[in-house]
Coordinates of all heavy atoms in Angstrom, one line a residue:
Y43 N -104.6 -56.0 197.3 CA -105.9 -56.6 197.5 C -106.4 -57.0 196.2 O -106.3 -56.3 195.2 CB -106.9 -55.6 198.1 CG -106.5 -55.1 199.5 CD1 -106.0 -53.9 199.6 CD2 -106.6 -55.9 200.6 CE1 -105.7 -53.4 200.9 CE2 -106.3 -55.5 201.9 CZ -105.8 -54.2 202.0 OH -105.5 -53.7 203.3
G44 N -107.0 -58.2 196.1 CA -107.7 -58.7 194.9 C -109.2 -58.3 195.0 O -109.8 -58.6 196.0
L45 N -109.7 -57.5 194.0 CA -111.1 -57.2 194.0 C -111.6 -57.7 192.7 O -111.5 -57.0 191.6 CB -111.3 -55.7 194.1 CG -111.2 -55.0 195.5 CD1 -111.5 -53.5 195.3 CD2 -112.2 -55.6 196.4
V50 N -105.9 -54.0 193.8 CA -105.5 -52.7 194.4 C -104.1 -52.8 194.9 O -103.8 -53.6 195.8 CB -106.5 -52.5 195.5 CG1 -106.2 -51.1 196.2 CG2 -108.0 -52.4 195.0
A52 N -102.1 -51.5 197.3 CA -102.2 -50.6 198.5 C -100.9 -50.2 199.0 O -100.8 -49.1 199.4 CB -103.0 -51.4 199.6
G70 N -100.4 -39.4 205.7 CA -100.8 -39.4 204.3 C -102.3 -39.3 204.2 O -103.0 -39.7 205.2
E71 N -102.7 -39.0 203.0 CA -104.2 -38.8 202.9 C -104.9 -40.1 203.0 O -104.3 -41.2 202.8 CB -104.5 -38.1 201.5 CG -104.0 -38.8 200.3 CD -104.0 -37.9 199.1 OE1 -103.7 -36.7 199.2 OE2 -104.2 -38.5 198.0
S72 N -106.2 -40.0 203.2 CA -107.0 -41.3 203.3 C -106.9 -42.1 202.1 O -106.9 -41.6 201.0 CB -108.5 -40.8 203.5 OG -109.3 -41.9 203.6
G73 N -106.7 -43.4 202.3 CA -106.6 -44.4 201.2 C -105.2 -44.6 200.6 O -105.1 -45.3 199.7
C74 N -104.2 -43.9 201.2 CA -102.9 -44.1 200.6 C -102.2 -45.3 201.1 O -101.0 -45.6 200.6 CB -102.1 -42.8 200.9 SG -101.5 -42.7 202.7
G75 N -102.8 -46.1 202.0 CA -102.2 -47.4 202.4 C -101.6 -47.4 203.8 O -101.0 -48.5 204.1
K76 N -101.9 -46.5 204.6 CA -101.3 -46.4 206.0 C -101.7 -47.6 206.8 O -100.9 -48.3 207.4 CB -101.7 -45.1 206.7 CG -101.3 -43.9 206.0 CD -101.7 -42.6 206.8 CE -103.2 -42.4 207.0 NZ -104.0 -42.3 205.7
S77 N -103.1 -47.9 206.9 CA -103.6 -49.0 207.7 C -103.1 -50.3 207.2 O -102.7 -51.2 207.9 CB -105.1 -48.9 207.7 OG -105.6 -47.8 208.4
T78 N -103.1 -50.5 205.9 CA -102.6 -51.7 205.2 C -101.2 -52.0 205.6 O -100.8 -53.1 205.9 CB -102.8 -51.6 203.7 OG1 -104.1 -51.3 203.4 CG2 -102.3 -52.9 203.0
L79 N -100.4 -50.9 205.6 CA -98.9 -51.0 206.0 C -98.9 -51.5 207.4 O -98.1 -52.4 207.8 CB -98.2 -49.7 205.7 CG -96.8 -49.7 206.2 CD1 -95.9 -50.7 205.5 CD2 -96.2 -48.3 205.9
R87 N -102.3 -58.8 207.9 CA -102.5 -58.9 206.4 C -101.1 -59.3 205.9 O -100.1 -58.7 206.1 CB -102.9 -57.5 205.8 CG -103.0 -57.5 204.3 CD -104.4 -57.9 203.9 NE -104.4 -58.4 202.6 CZ -105.6 -58.8 202.0 NH1 -106.7 -58.8 202.6 NH2 -105.5 -59.4 200.8
D202 N -103.1 -46.8 215.0 CA -103.6 -46.5 213.7 C -104.7 -45.4 214.0 O -105.9 -45.7 214.2 CB -104.2 -47.7 213.0 CG -104.6 -47.4 211.6 OD1 -104.5 -46.3 211.2 OD2 -105.1 -48.4 210.9
E203 N -104.4 -44.2 213.8 CA -105.3 -43.0 214.0 C -106.0 -43.1 215.3 O -107.2 -43.0 215.3 CB -106.3 -42.9 212.8 CG -105.6 -43.0 211.4 CD -106.1 -42.1 210.4 OE1 -106.7 -41.0 210.8 OE2 -105.9 -42.3 209.2
Ligands
ADP318 N1 -110.0 -55.2 202.5 C1 -109.7 -54.4 201.4 N2 -110.1 -54.9 200.2 C2 -109.8 -54.2 199.1 N3 -109.2 -53.0 199.1 C3 -108.9 -52.5 200.2 C4 -109.1 -53.2 201.5 N4 -108.6 -52.4 202.5 C5 -108.1 -51.3 201.9 N5 -108.2 -51.4 200.6 C6 -107.8 -50.4 199.6 O1 -106.4 -50.2 199.8 C7 -106.0 -48.8 199.7 C8 -105.3 -48.4 201.0 O2 -106.2 -48.5 202.0 P1 -105.9 -48.2 203.5 O3 -104.6 -49.0 203.9 O4 -107.1 -48.4 204.4 O5 -105.5 -46.6 203.5 P2 -105.4 -45.5 204.7 O6 -105.3 -46.3 206.0 O7 -104.2 -44.7 204.4 O8 -106.7 -44.7 204.5 C9 -107.2 -48.1 199.4 O9 -107.4 -47.9 198.0 C10 -108.4 -49.0 199.9 O10 -109.5 -48.7 199.2

Side-chain angles (χ1 to χ4, degrees):
Y43 297 105
L45 279 181
V50 178
E71 60 195 33
S72 179
C74 73
K76 304 181 297 297
S77 294
T78 302
L79 176 59
R87 175 90 205 176
D202 191 356
E203 309 221 23

